[in-house]
Amino acid sequence: MKTYRVAVLPGDGIGPEVMEEALRVLDAVECKYGFRTERTACHVGGAGIDHCGKALPAETLAACEAAEAILFGSVGGPKWDALPPDERPERGALLPLRRHFGLYANLRPGVCLPELTAASPLKENLISGGFDILCIRELTGGMYFGEPKFYGERDGEVVALDTLVYHRYEVERIAHIAFKAAMGRSGRLCSVDKANVLTSSVMWRDVFNELAPQYPEVQLSHMYVDNAAMQLARKPGQFDVLVTENTFGDILTDEMAIICGSLGMLPSASLCVREGNTFGLYEPSGGSAPDIAGQGIANPIAQILSMGMMLRYSFGETAAADAVDAAVRKAIAQGMRTRDLYTAAAGESLVSTRGMGDAVIAAL
Ligand code: NAD
């Protein structure tokens, strides 16, 4: 039987609670689709600091190295807020993991299910029927990493400087991921840039245009980032796959998260290619939600869908991944709602974290 190695890093706050449900769903899906996972559970974030003084303990990194994918919960919380910034759970664990593995492609599905449009701050007439967008953000290049950076005095003036630099290979590899993702969906790919102002965006656009003939099934369009931000709030349903550079992606994915309704519904994947395979870190888009941790009320769907993305992208278990997505949709269609989704409308049942896990497993 096919066996995949997974490093399981539940982390802090609601992380362990929602991870438990994702692993229960994984048990069920393995049984149904005839594969196995070999899981190594490790401390990370605040749990790592409490365990051995490090947000990313050496044994955790070693387990990630030995794995084919990382299933990550979330890290951080008030207990560790007084630590110096570089030692805190997020900076001390997530960023080093991204850097260590060169996870350059961040995939964030922004799905607003038809039954949950009331949870979105957008007017219902703009999103009736819901929407389903996949946003792909370049994660290791651009202004956040460009050198030089400078803040100081030059010629008697205080100056601050960041550098926005992209190498062609960085744009090419994210473009291939985006074209392939679009092929697996409706075939519509919108590349977001600022080519009317930024030189790096001119190259970005050139690369996408040059690669487009390799993907004749994909209909490529371009949009300036300021317009994309407006269009997302005006008519999100017009988009299928969006792809953009690091800084623009940071901003647009947060906009997308809020228009979808609850953070508890949104998974993510950060990918690279390692030894010819798609390696990834799969995690919910939200954080450790200390305000609700330990109460059994967190929504486990983002974690469950992150596990589904792992099956799809790292293991190529497409049927199993489709089944996870479908089971979540079914549980929602049946009216199952954790507290973040509950509006007390007719047909809704308020369920716990465990209750939502049970509903997804039953739907499988
Ligand atoms: P957060 O995402 O943890 O919470 C924001 C709000 O969304 C809270 O009201 C929370 O209850 C709610 N929420 C989030 N996930 C939910 C879920 N699954 N079900 C129901 N409600 C949910 O953001 P925050 O409050 O700004 O940060 C809390 C901690 O998380 C901080 O320590 C922060 O540094 C950390 N954080 C970690 C990550 C990560 O691990 N990737 C990301 C963001 C924030």
Side-chain angles (χ1 to χ4, degrees):
M1 192 183 280
K2 258 199 233 157
T3 303
Y4 306 106
R5 294 183 310 278
V6 183
V8 177
L9 281 52
D12 311 317
I14 61 167
E17 301 167 38
V18 293
M19 183 67 83
E20 203 176 315
E21 298 313 313
L23 295 179
R24 290 175 63 228
V25 177
L26 181 56
D27 287 340
V29 95
E30 283 180 14
C31 198
K32 189 161 175 199
Y33 287 88
F35 63 89
R36 283 184 59 236
T37 53
E38 207 177 273
R39 306 169 199 170
T40 309
C42 310
H43 297 290
V44 75
I49 295 170
D50 290 351
H51 175 64
C52 66
K54 287 224 160 13
L56 183 60
E59 73 241 31
T60 299
L61 187 60
C64 294
E65 277 279 359
E68 290 161 276
I70 305 170
L71 190 58
F72 194 95
S74 48
V75 292
K79 185 175 174 192
W80 306 280
D81 278 353
L83 290 171
D86 283 346
E87 291 172 29
R88 274 188 223 159
E90 257 186 295
R91 288 267 287 274
L94 253 185
L95 299 188
L97 273 174
R98 283 181 189 157
R99 204 174 304 121
H100 181 83
F101 290 104
L103 299 166
Y104 62 84
N106 183 227
L107 273 58
R108 283 220 215 172
V111 179
C112 183
L113 295 175
E115 299 86 352
L116 297 180
T117 50
S120 169
L122 296 185
K123 288 183 187 138
E124 289 224 51
N125 65 325
L126 300 178
I127 52 169
S128 63
F131 56 86
D132 179 348
I133 306 170
L134 175 64
C135 189
I136 302 178
R137 166 187 170 196
E138 200 291 327
L139 200 59
T140 54
M143 193 157 55
Y144 293 174
F145 294 90
E147 294 287 347
K149 288 183 181 292
F150 177 77
Y151 179 18
E153 214 175 288
R154 264 188 201 165
D155 305 327
E157 286 281 350
V158 175
V159 176
L161 168 82
D162 291 293
T163 302
L164 170 45
V165 57
Y166 265 107
H167 297 90
R168 189 183 160 99
Y169 80 90
E170 293 175 300
V171 184
E172 279 182 6
R173 65 187 183 180
I174 194 84
H176 284 299
I177 295 235
F179 279 112
K180 285 177 189 157
M183 276 168 60
R185 294 170 53 107
S186 77
R188 283 183 298 119
L189 173 64
C190 179
S191 168
V192 174
D193 63 34
K194 190 71 183 168
N196 50 344
V197 178
L198 297 175
T199 313
S200 57
S201 281
V202 174
M203 181 180 76
W204 179 279
R205 197 174 275 221
D206 284 349
V207 170
F208 273 81
N209 283 334
E210 283 166 32
L211 295 183
Q214 293 182 29
Y215 300 93
E217 311 88 326
V218 176
Q219 194 191 325
L220 172 68
S221 62
H222 302 277
M223 191 178 281
Y224 296 137
V225 62
D226 39 353
N227 187 23
M230 277 198 300
Q231 296 300 331
L232 263 179
R234 195 182 72 85
K235 199 178 166 198
Q238 71 187 279
F239 296 113
D240 184 28
V241 181
L242 281 173
V243 58
T244 192
E245 62 96 57
N246 202 346
T247 309
F248 300 158
D250 192 3
I251 299 164
L252 289 182
T253 49
D254 268 22
E255 184 185 353
M256 200 178 67
I258 186 66
I259 64 173
C260 287
S262 172
L263 263 179
M265 295 293 294
L266 301 179
S268 83
S270 299
L271 309 178
C272 67
V273 178
R274 199 164 160 239
E275 291 158 12
N277 299 313
T278 303
F279 181 81
L281 183 148
Y282 299 87
E283 59 169 336
S285 292
S288 57
D291 54 331
I292 58 166
Q295 299 176 37
I297 58 173
N299 185 348
I301 288 181
Q303 189 77 58
I304 293 169
L305 292 174
S306 299
M307 180 276 291
M309 290 185 86
M310 172 180 82
L311 300 181
R312 185 180 306 283
Y313 292 104
S314 282
F315 305 156
E317 294 286 351
T318 312
D322 287 346
V324 171
D325 291 352
V328 164
R329 283 169 197 250
K330 190 166 172 194
I332 293 293
Q334 287 167 341
M336 301 302 162
R337 301 284 187 272
T338 40
R339 207 188 57 172
D340 54 310
L341 305 174
Y342 186 66
T343 63
E348 287 188 357
S349 310
L350 181 61
V351 293
S352 62
T353 307
R354 172 53 60 106
M356 186 61 99
D358 286 342
V360 174
I361 292 166
L364 263 172

